[in-house]
Amino acid sequence: DTGVSQDPRHKITKRGQNVTFRCDPISEHNRLYWYRQTLGQGPEFLTYFQNEAQLEKSRLLSDRFSAERPKGSFSTLEIQRTEQGDSAMYLCASSDTKLGRQGRSNEQFFGPGTRLTVL
Amino acid sequence: KNEVEQSPQNLTAQEGEFITINCSYSVGISALHWLQQHPGGGIVSLFMLSSGKKKHGRLIATINIQEKHSSLHITASHPRDSAVYICAVRSGNNNDMRFGAGTRLTVKP
């Protein structure tokens, strides 16, 4: 399977614990995005990377959230001191911004998501 | 007011019916995406368009840039089309996407 993968698919944790999610983008995709989706809502942008550089962060990304993409390939999203309001689906997407790919430059391909439940 | 509004929120149809889902947006965009999300969360990109019309199988997407409106049509709907359909826009030089709340489609046999 050469699509975007995320691990774990489900995570249940107690309030106050730290959690870390991993996203493996499509190979050679230079951009990687993190989104959060709460029940009944569309996804909301959290942050994105171009290669290993984190270029944009939403104000939704509080100090308890940190994301890394150290080698420009996989990325991790860590939530410290989780709160019940953090319960959501965390989605990762990747895209290839190189031009000339049949006009589909920057189309985002989504992973299956990690569903977080904070008790 | 959300930057991306979808209608209807929920839609129930009988198998074989023609389906239309609408999306209006209030920002300038460089591209509009239609996404399909199945129970369990996985999102599949159906279309990315910046003008005109695209067709893939039984799915048709149109966009009117002047009116800031897009529609997703499903012809000869089938129960396997049941999913949440999400409209998302990418605006100008921004690299994040803004999403609608989604339209939950249920197609009954």
Side-chain angles (χ1 to χ4, degrees):
Chain A
D1 187 348
T2 57
V4 179
S5 61
Q6 292 187 243
D7 183 69
R9 296 290 305 276
H10 303 274
K11 178 70 177 178
I12 300 174
T13 191
K14 292 184 178 179
R15 191 178 53 178
Q17 298 294 307
N18 299 344
V19 294
T20 300
F21 310 140
R22 176 178 169 128
C23 171
D24 286 88
I26 292 173
S27 179
E28 297 182 359
H29 273 193
N30 56 349
R31 284 199 179 157
L32 186 149
Y33 305 78
W34 284 101
Y35 297 92
R36 181 177 70 185
Q37 185 179 26
T38 52
L39 202 62
Q41 300 297 316
E44 298 170 295
F45 170 77
L46 292 179
T47 187
Y48 95 97
F49 293 83
Q50 172 106 356
N51 300 313
E52 66 275 7
Q54 188 174 17
L55 295 188
E56 194 168 337
K57 290 169 63 173
S58 162
R59 63 181 182 277
L60 295 174
L61 214 65
S62 76
D63 291 345
R64 297 184 297 105
F65 288 70
S66 62
E68 294 182 341
R69 193 183 184 198
K71 297 181 181 178
S73 55
F74 73 91
S75 175
T76 58
L77 177 68
E78 181 183 16
I79 309 174
Q80 295 182 325
R81 304 181 304 281
T82 52
E83 302 173 356
Q84 287 183 319
D86 298 331
S87 296
M89 174 76 84
Y90 290 84
L91 293 160
C92 175
S94 70
S95 69
D96 179 1
T97 60
K98 292 187 283 290
L99 296 176
R101 297 185 73 244
Q102 299 178 336
R104 296 181 79 81
S105 173
N106 218 18
E107 179 179 5
Q108 295 185 23
F109 295 83
F110 285 82
T114 294
R115 185 173 295 282
L116 172 66
T117 302
V118 181
L119 302 176
Chain B
K1 188 178 188 300
N2 290 339
E3 292 171 310
V4 183
E5 296 276 358
Q6 285 185 237
S7 63
Q9 263 189 314
N10 294 284
L11 181 56
T12 300
Q14 288 297 131
E15 183 173 357
E17 286 184 2
F18 181 82
I19 304 288
T20 296
I21 299 171
N22 295 300
C23 174
S24 296
Y25 52 92
S26 57
V27 295
I29 68 168
S30 57
L32 181 143
H33 300 250
W34 280 102
L35 310 169
Q36 181 191 56
Q37 186 171 32
H38 282 284
I43 291 180
V44 174
S45 177
L46 298 175
F47 294 103
M48 181 178 72
L49 62 164
S50 54
S51 65
K53 176 180 175 179
K54 286 189 176 181
K55 184 175 189 293
H56 185 255
R58 295 180 296 107
L59 302 178
I60 304 166
T62 63
I63 187 168
N64 184 319
I65 297 293
Q66 287 74 28
E67 295 186 3
K68 295 187 175 179
H69 181 269
S70 176
S71 293
L72 176 69
H73 305 285
I74 305 175
T75 61
S77 58
H78 190 276
R80 65 173 174 264
D81 297 326
S82 298
V84 175
Y85 292 84
I86 301 172
C87 172
V89 300
R90 183 156 46 87
S91 56
N93 292 324
N94 291 344
N95 292 288
D96 58 293
M97 288 211 292
R98 311 296 170 91
F99 296 79
T103 294
R104 182 174 299 278
L105 172 65
T106 304
V107 182
K108 295 185 175 180

